[in-house]
Amino acid sequence: MSPGDPAAEPRTDAARHRPRARAWQAAVAAVVVAGAVTAAVLAAGGGSGGGKPAADATPTPGRAADGLWHTAVEVSTSGCGQGWTGPRTGTQSFDLRNTGENPSEVYLIDPRSGRLFGELDGLAPGTTRPMVVDLGSGTYAFKCVAEDTDAVTGPSVVVPGNVPQGPAAAPVNQHDLIPPTLSYQKWIGERMNDLVTGTGRLKADIDGGDLTAARRDWLSAHLVYERMGAAYGTFGDADGKINGTAARTPDGVKDPGFTGFHRIEYGLWHGQSAASLKGSAATLDSDARALRTSWSQARMDPADLGLRAHEIMENTEQFELTGRTDYGSGTNLATARANLDGTREVLDQLHALLATRDPDLPALDAALTRTQNDLDAQNHNGTWTPLSALGQDRRERINSDIGGLLEQLAPVATLFDVRRTA
């Protein structure tokens, strides 16, 4: 089927609201070298999982076949950090062996400031996994955070010399994220008035039989909703009613369960009469008003805010740039631009925390601006270039923009992952 065909796997709630699995760590889990982004340091050693058998551990410090110096380190409540002898600077691997009874997270920290130089998640009992880091001179310690036990910090180890330390970041906790989350919730509340104004205008257009105005006002109202990207998970079932697709309805676009913006989009751009769309417009307006009413009682999870900045653009790449949510209007690039606004708003709320943690923030700002400019070039006085009319060079450029932006946003998701420290 063509990318613009609504039956070609359009967005679903399951795809849109992913669990907080750390799939994004794959983008930043790499050997850390001097000058790498801070998040790469935090993600070194990979995501959750079992690990290698104990037989793969390096029993004594030494250089292995991979060219790195390996040191076996114990992870447990009674022996956290034991085994680190002969400390040295440079890129090296700590082969972390969980000798305890519970899965554990392991952090390599500055014991005085708590800054993170490396982390490893979900180290199962009896397994060994590497943490690859690039160390400068200074004082370090391992912190072992096993399930159902208090965190334990191992002995401080001084790495001698005068080599500058590599990038590191102070961890964030739930309390750090509460103020920006509350501020973002307030911003969403203010947008709700714009949403209801837009759906009310759309309803009035359809009630009055003015389908030309309805097409114009449909886009305006839809973009208001698309800018509120970080709140979709908190909207709950309302999101499916307001912005759901026909992906999982038994009869597709003809199913009564297909409602909201995309249902009206399908009708407006497939020759359906104003009379046939009155019920859908009334339902959308009613659902938008109900969402506004309920929002004052909603509570966003502060731990989700940093991840949402990445997820918004990830969904843009997956659903908008492929045309999978196009039900006839050809406005996927307008939606992508609204999603970009939504990501910017999240980053603005997090800026005070991000500025002291992400040394590549200027590169992120540049990626946002580049993407915005290339998307804006497809807006011709309110008429957006459909994906089907986008030249190959422009399509490749926009795809590259979004892909590059996702790479810059992956560290944001990593940095704002709330870590247990006690």
Side-chain angles (χ1 to χ4, degrees):
M1 298 179 183
S2 67
D5 190 328
E9 300 180 273
R11 171 166 36 197
T12 66
D13 292 341
R16 191 168 192 171
H17 308 308
R18 295 171 177 80
R20 295 186 65 245
R22 301 189 183 191
W24 39 263
Q25 280 199 339
V28 290
V31 174
V32 183
V33 296
V37 296
T38 302
V41 181
L42 303 184
S48 58
K52 296 182 179 180
D56 291 341
T58 304
T60 57
R63 197 168 298 280
D66 60 7
L68 297 177
W69 187 269
H70 284 246
T71 303
V73 174
E74 180 180 349
V75 175
S76 69
T77 54
S78 60
C80 181
Q82 297 295 328
W84 188 6
T85 59
R88 56 173 54 211
T89 59
T91 303
Q92 55 199 283
S93 175
F94 292 104
D95 298 322
L96 303 178
R97 164 74 170 168
N98 187 347
T99 61
E101 297 179 352
N102 299 317
S104 181
E105 296 184 358
V106 190
Y107 304 132
L108 181 62
I109 66 170
D110 178 331
R112 289 166 294 189
S113 68
R115 292 186 306 148
L116 300 176
F117 292 89
E119 73 173 343
L120 192 149
D121 297 338
L123 182 62
T127 61
T128 300
R129 285 165 55 198
M131 175 190 287
V132 179
V133 293
D134 181 34
L135 296 185
S137 305
T139 302
Y140 302 88
F142 282 99
K143 174 175 282 191
C144 304
V145 188
E147 289 184 5
D148 302 321
T149 64
D150 294 334
V152 175
T153 300
S156 295
V157 175
V158 178
V159 176
N162 297 303
V163 178
Q165 287 186 330
V172 297
N173 58 42
Q174 194 91 348
H175 295 291
D176 294 328
L177 292 172
I178 288 174
T181 302
L182 291 176
S183 179
Y184 182 78
Q185 285 187 201
K186 181 180 179 181
W187 182 85
I188 290 291
E190 293 167 351
R191 303 287 79 72
M192 291 290 183
N193 293 327
D194 297 334
L195 176 64
V196 168
T197 297
T199 58
R201 184 178 294 121
L202 175 61
K203 178 180 179 297
D205 294 337
I206 291 175
D207 287 346
D210 190 344
L211 296 185
T212 298
R215 293 185 189 96
R216 179 195 64 229
D217 292 334
W218 175 90
L219 178 60
S220 178
H222 186 233
L223 297 185
V224 170
Y225 188 82
E226 288 286 350
R227 292 186 183 99
M228 299 190 285
Y232 291 142
T234 311
F235 290 166
D237 292 342
D239 181 39
K241 296 177 181 178
I242 292 172
N243 206 39
T245 68
R248 293 189 175 182
T249 53
D251 294 324
V253 295
K254 298 179 181 179
D255 196 284
F258 178 37
T259 63
F261 279 113
H262 291 302
R263 171 62 186 92
I264 297 173
E265 177 189 9
Y266 181 81
L268 288 174
W269 277 272
H270 284 83
Q272 294 184 352
S273 67
S276 69
L277 291 174
K278 284 185 177 182
S280 295
T283 298
L284 173 62
D285 187 49
S286 175
D287 288 339
R289 292 176 185 277
L291 180 61
R292 181 178 64 174
T293 299
S294 66
W295 184 248
S296 63
Q297 303 301 315
R299 295 295 180 267
M300 292 184 65
D301 183 351
D304 286 342
L305 198 57
L307 180 59
R308 293 289 184 255
H310 184 273
E311 282 186 335
I312 293 169
M313 297 313 300
E314 186 180 29
N315 285 330
T316 301
E317 180 184 55
Q318 185 175 0
F319 300 108
E320 305 308 330
L321 297 190
T322 60
R324 289 165 64 183
T325 54
D326 182 11
Y327 283 81
S329 68
T331 57
N332 289 106
L333 294 179
T335 301
R337 180 64 175 82
N339 293 164
L340 187 69
D341 286 340
T343 292
R344 279 191 180 276
E345 183 59 34
V346 174
L347 294 174
D348 285 347
Q349 299 294 348
L350 294 172
H351 188 270
L353 295 170
L354 189 61
T356 59
R357 289 171 169 84
D358 187 358
D360 278 357
L361 191 55
L364 172 56
D365 290 338
L368 288 164
T369 299
R370 181 168 55 251
T371 304
Q372 178 176 324
N373 290 341
D374 285 340
L375 288 172
D376 284 346
Q378 305 310 312
N379 180 6
H380 310 286
N381 297 319
T383 300
W384 287 80
T385 304
L387 288 174
S388 59
L390 200 60
Q392 182 176 345
D393 289 347
R394 284 292 181 182
R395 177 183 285 274
E396 290 177 351
R397 179 163 181 158
I398 291 172
N399 288 345
S400 177
D401 289 341
I402 300 295
L405 180 56
L406 283 170
E407 291 182 6
Q408 294 294 331
L409 288 168
V412 176
T414 306
L415 288 166
F416 289 104
D417 184 26
V418 174
R419 293 164 174 85
R420 183 184 149 207
T421 57

